[in-house]
Amino acid sequence: MKKISLTLMLTCFAYLAFSQVVPSFQFGLKGGMNLSKFNTTNTFSSDNQAGYYGGVWARIGAAGLHLQPELYLSGKNTTLVNSTGQENEVKFTSLDVPVLVGTKLGAAGVGLRLNTGPVVSFLLNEDQNFSQAASAAFSGKFKDQSFAWQFGAGVDLGKLGIDLRYELGLSKINEAGYQSTKLNLYTLGLAYKLF
């Protein structure tokens, strides 16, 4: 009986040690809303406006750390207002590619995740609705891609996950000769693990 107990105990320890070294892989769907705001210097200001995002995510991890690449379509809306009060409503659709590094605290499918990493956004289209006065004051000419950095936390409850993140714009997104125009976002999303 002692030999069987010792064998079972050693098997359990070996399994736990091995599971910490061998990477795990997860894949799922994700969607939610964003609140976007241009961070501008002097010339323009803007208020947060709601948009959407949806796509896929993967998580590869071992020893308490994971790499989480994502790919999603994102609609971002904002209103630029210059110093004289003229407005320009801007709507973007972009393909966003975050590559996050994180850790998870918890076990048995329940836990808190912390992650951070760079995001590359590729502009797919832009729509600008100008008021009559603003059309002379601002014409977009936005760049095809921009870079940002995400910070976030998430909670996993079995196959479901909830994520809250802040995205800090690192590069100017306009090609026109205006002061720095960087897009900052808050995102709240729901994730579903397929496997």
Side-chain angles (χ1 to χ4, degrees):
M1 186 67 171
K2 287 184 179 180
K3 289 183 180 181
I4 293 174
S5 297
L6 184 60
T7 303
L8 285 174
M9 191 169 71
L10 288 175
T11 303
C12 288
F13 283 132
Y15 173 76
L16 290 172
F18 189 69
S19 66
Q20 295 297 315
V21 175
V22 174
S24 65
F25 180 78
Q26 299 174 3
F27 181 81
L29 304 174
K30 185 176 186 180
M33 64 172 287
N34 63 48
L35 294 173
S36 54
K37 181 176 181 177
F38 279 118
N39 177 19
T40 57
T41 307
N42 300 328
T43 310
F44 295 99
S45 65
S46 72
D47 295 323
N48 286 327
Q49 291 191 9
Y52 66 89
Y53 74 98
V56 296
W57 59 272
R59 191 176 300 142
I60 304 137
L65 294 175
H66 62 260
L67 180 68
Q68 184 167 320
E70 300 178 347
L71 178 68
Y72 49 81
L73 194 64
S74 182
K76 301 165 187 171
N77 304 314
T78 191
T79 300
L80 292 170
V81 182
N82 71 7
S83 57
T84 63
Q86 296 171 326
E87 295 185 355
N88 175 20
E89 293 181 12
V90 182
K91 297 181 180 183
F92 292 94
T93 303
S94 63
L95 184 65
D96 294 351
V97 185
V99 180
L100 308 173
V101 174
T103 187
K104 183 175 177 180
L105 310 169
V110 177
L112 172 69
R113 282 179 289 101
L114 302 172
N115 45 39
T116 187
V119 182
V120 181
S121 294
F122 299 95
L123 184 66
L124 300 178
N125 75 356
E126 62 176 278
D127 295 319
Q128 299 184 58
N129 299 316
F130 298 95
S131 69
Q132 188 174 7
S135 61
F138 183 89
S139 65
K141 296 184 180 175
F142 292 97
K143 294 180 180 179
D144 290 336
Q145 72 181 37
S146 62
F147 297 93
W149 196 272
Q150 279 191 0
F151 307 89
V155 176
D156 288 332
L157 303 167
K159 289 186 173 260
L160 292 178
I162 301 169
D163 286 293
L164 178 63
R165 296 182 188 165
Y166 176 70
E167 185 174 310
L168 175 67
L170 298 177
S171 61
K172 293 195 290 186
I173 64 169
N174 63 315
E175 292 178 348
Y178 297 99
Q179 295 291 326
S180 175
T181 305
K182 299 176 182 178
L183 190 64
N184 298 331
L185 302 173
Y186 289 98
T187 63
L188 177 62
L190 184 64
Y192 181 75
K193 182 173 71 171
L194 296 173
F195 57 85

